[in-house]
Amino acid sequence: MFDNILSGFSAILAVGPILGIIAGVVIGITFGAIPGISCIMAIAIMLPMTFYVDPIIGITMLLAVYKAGIYGGSISAILINTPGAAASFLTAQDGHALTKAGKAGKALDMSLFASVSGEMLATLVLILVAAPISAISLQAGPIEKVFLLLFAFTVIGSMAGESIPRGLLSCCLGMLFAMVGMDSITGSSRFTFGIDELIGGFTFTPMLIGILVMPEVINVIRRRKVPHHELAITRSPNPADNRISFGEYKKVFRTILKSSGIGTFIGALPGLGSSTAAFIAYGEGKRTSKNPEKYGKGSVEGIAAAESANNAVCGSSMIPMLTLSIPGDDVAALLMGAFLIHGLTPGPMIFFEHTETIYAIFAGFLITDLFLLGIARSGFKFFVKMASLKRYFIFPCVTVFAFTGAFTAGQNMNDILVLIAFTVVGYGMRIVGLNPAVFIIGFILTPFLEQNLDQAFAIVGDDYGRFFASPFSWVFIALSAFFVYSSMRMKRKASKVPAPAQQEPA
């Protein structure tokens, strides 16, 4: 493994990958800092731009956008109390309280240092455990993989959103659209309705942009009469209030370490995501803190707990994706699509078929953290200005990038029609409460399920009892039932507890 890591660093320390990482970090922080544009939107827009470069450059740039975008969301949360995702809600509580007290620099510094620390620790865990898990998972055959994928669908569908039926329906809808086109085994056409252009199925990138990006543009148009928030920051005359000293970082390092561990563990479990990690780590940090009364009122320790757990999910969510072909969260699903587009099929064989590329990507993960620290620290003023940009400047550019990216994917005007069609589908899903990210995961995983299911039927023949002969089958059935039961129980408890009143943006 050590030799592979060294070769990975030698591959990533070249002009192309380094420039890609720098560009990804700048784009990620910029998009993350702009209210209304999430990390997942940034990756969807940038994905077509990576088609014409080497996989090491393209994928490391997308990973840099991912990591930097997660951190960038804390900038708008801290400065103007507008968290771009649920995971940033806790950061907004403590960070904006510090901003109102004239200590915005301290809050931004703590968010950055905690984010980088959490990401680096999770990346080290990814590098150390991914290859051994892949070696173990190679022992699983098609039958075991069928039940593993059914378990993944169940977990992701049941843990997504407030309604389990809607989460499962979103996943099933993605599976249905993935079946459009020619069957890979029999060669027969399915759900094409006589339209020749659908024989090859739906192009992934236009569908992705239509489902995730364009509905947000429509939402902004609908909210065009909502007043834009003007950013006004007051700074304390005391320089110590505008930065984090080494002593202050040292005081919260134990919290960062513990929260990073929680985030790493949560991220490695499919379907839970960064929001779950942030809330669990924040609650644990408050429980063990010497000053729990400060949490929610401007606690630097609270920011450290939430941000380190939130960002630790970035690295660990790649573990199930790379080893088992199961995305850990919605962003990992997008990155899985990027791997497939670049000819890298996630799963246990990827460490044997593309060893140099994977370890170069791992090295890029670590180097991205260093560039994130340097670029974010030196460019605070620029990213603060980006957070206050008006919506009518931002979303026309987003629309242009979306249509350009959809066309670039296959140089085909039909892809523009796919984009428009899935924009309607995506917007309709939001209206009825379905989850677009779960839809994407279902779309990506269905071909793997079909392939392994065909192989499993070829193995068992007419003896269907062999599906349940393996103990792994019963383990995954039990885990699926447990996750459905536990998620229903959690949601039942949550419905009985009155939700806390959220602060209005200042």
Side-chain angles (χ1 to χ4, degrees):
M1 178 185 289
F2 187 70
D3 292 339
N4 292 330
I5 294 173
L6 288 179
S7 65
F9 272 102
S10 65
I12 204 68
L13 291 174
V15 176
I18 294 297
L19 289 177
I21 290 173
I22 294 173
V25 168
V26 174
I27 292 169
I29 300 177
T30 302
F31 276 60
I34 298 173
I37 298 185
S38 62
C39 169
I40 196 168
M41 287 176 62
I43 295 175
I45 292 172
M46 294 306 300
L47 178 59
M49 313 299 176
T50 67
F51 291 168
Y52 307 105
V53 296
D54 186 83
I56 294 177
I57 299 174
I59 292 176
T60 50
M61 185 172 77
L62 292 176
L63 291 173
V65 173
Y66 178 21
K67 284 194 168 191
I70 293 292
Y71 161 71
S74 67
I75 296 177
S76 58
I78 290 170
L79 297 181
I80 55 179
N81 199 21
T82 54
S88 300
F89 172 73
L90 299 169
T91 304
Q93 281 189 317
D94 286 299
H96 193 62
L98 288 171
T99 298
K100 290 192 291 186
K103 300 179 181 180
K106 186 180 287 290
L108 289 169
D109 266 4
M110 190 69 260
S111 173
L112 175 60
F113 295 150
S115 297
V116 171
S117 300
E119 287 175 356
M120 292 195 74
L121 291 171
T123 300
L124 291 174
V125 173
L126 168 67
I127 294 172
L128 293 174
V129 308
I133 292 176
S134 290
I136 296 173
S137 61
L138 279 173
Q139 306 302 316
I143 296 175
E144 290 80 9
K145 289 180 180 178
V146 167
F147 283 99
L148 173 63
L149 287 166
L150 290 176
F151 165 64
F153 282 124
T154 304
V155 172
I156 293 167
S158 62
M159 297 300 294
E162 298 179 355
S163 170
I164 294 176
R166 288 178 181 175
L168 293 173
L169 180 59
S170 303
C171 188
C172 292
L173 194 61
M175 297 174 70
L176 178 65
F177 277 95
M179 294 179 186
V180 173
M182 186 178 294
D183 187 291
S184 59
I185 303 298
T186 64
S188 59
S189 60
R190 306 175 299 186
F191 304 114
T192 59
F193 304 103
I195 303 174
D196 294 338
E197 287 77 7
L198 292 180
I199 291 178
F202 293 109
T203 310
F204 177 73
T205 304
M207 183 209 68
L208 177 71
I209 296 174
I211 287 288
L212 295 177
V213 178
M214 294 308 295
E216 294 299 328
V217 176
I218 297 175
N219 280 333
V220 169
I221 296 172
R222 289 184 61 203
R223 300 194 308 267
R224 63 188 180 278
K225 294 183 179 180
V226 177
H228 179 77
H229 183 92
E230 296 294 338
L231 183 61
I233 300 175
T234 58
R235 287 183 174 272
S236 170
N238 183 3
D241 288 338
N242 294 305
R243 61 181 177 82
I244 288 291
S245 65
F246 179 74
E248 289 175 308
Y249 177 80
K250 189 176 179 181
K251 286 181 182 179
V252 300
F253 181 73
R254 186 175 179 180
T255 300
I256 290 175
L257 198 63
K258 179 169 58 177
S259 300
S260 300
I262 292 172
T264 301
F265 177 75
I266 295 295
L269 299 176
L272 298 184
S274 56
S275 301
T276 304
F279 277 88
I280 291 176
Y282 190 87
E284 176 62 19
K286 184 177 182 179
R287 186 185 68 83
T288 58
S289 174
K290 295 180 180 178
N291 303 295
E293 71 282 355
K294 292 184 178 180
Y295 273 64
K297 301 176 182 178
S299 170
V300 172
E301 186 180 1
I303 296 174
E307 283 299 304
S308 54
N310 180 16
N311 286 270
V313 173
C314 296
S316 59
S317 65
M318 302 288 289
I319 295 174
M321 189 267 278
L322 288 175
T323 58
L324 303 172
S325 301
I326 300 174
D329 59 10
D330 48 2
V331 183
L334 262 70
L335 294 172
M336 183 173 176
F339 272 77
L340 292 170
I341 289 171
H342 283 279
L344 306 173
T345 303
M349 289 303 296
I350 197 171
F351 288 89
F352 302 94
E353 296 174 347
H354 306 282
T355 305
E356 183 177 344
T357 302
I358 290 301
Y359 280 94
I361 292 170
F362 285 167
F365 247 98
L366 290 173
I367 293 175
T368 296
D369 293 326
L370 301 178
F371 278 103
L372 173 60
L373 182 62
I375 293 173
R377 193 71 183 85
S378 60
F380 269 154
K381 292 183 179 179
F382 169 76
F383 297 121
V384 166
K385 289 182 180 179
M386 296 302 298
S388 60
L389 278 177
K390 297 184 183 296
R391 289 186 290 266
Y392 55 74
F393 289 133
I394 300 167
F395 284 92
C397 297
V398 170
T399 304
V400 171
F401 277 120
F403 275 83
T404 303
F407 177 75
T408 304
Q411 302 288 322
N412 191 336
M413 285 302 296
N414 290 327
D415 290 338
I416 301 296
L417 299 178
V418 172
L419 169 65
I420 296 172
F422 277 99
T423 298
V424 176
V425 172
Y427 188 69
M429 290 176 66
R430 282 165 172 79
I431 291 175
V432 299
L434 299 182
N435 192 308
V438 176
F439 174 93
I440 296 294
I441 295 174
F443 185 89
I444 290 176
L445 291 184
T446 296
F448 295 98
L449 177 63
E450 280 195 285
Q451 179 183 358
N452 285 285
L453 193 61
D454 284 328
Q455 293 175 354
F457 275 116
I459 291 172
V460 302
D462 295 331
D463 186 8
Y464 297 118
R466 293 182 62 185
F467 271 111
F468 306 98
S470 171
F472 286 104
S473 304
W474 290 104
V475 167
F476 288 125
I477 290 172
L479 286 173
S480 299
F482 170 75
F483 266 89
V484 171
Y485 170 75
S486 62
S487 59
M488 291 177 65
R489 187 177 178 184
M490 287 169 55
K491 288 176 173 59
R492 195 178 298 118
K493 285 184 177 180
S495 64
K496 295 179 181 179
V497 179
Q502 295 188 10
Q503 298 177 3
E504 290 295 326

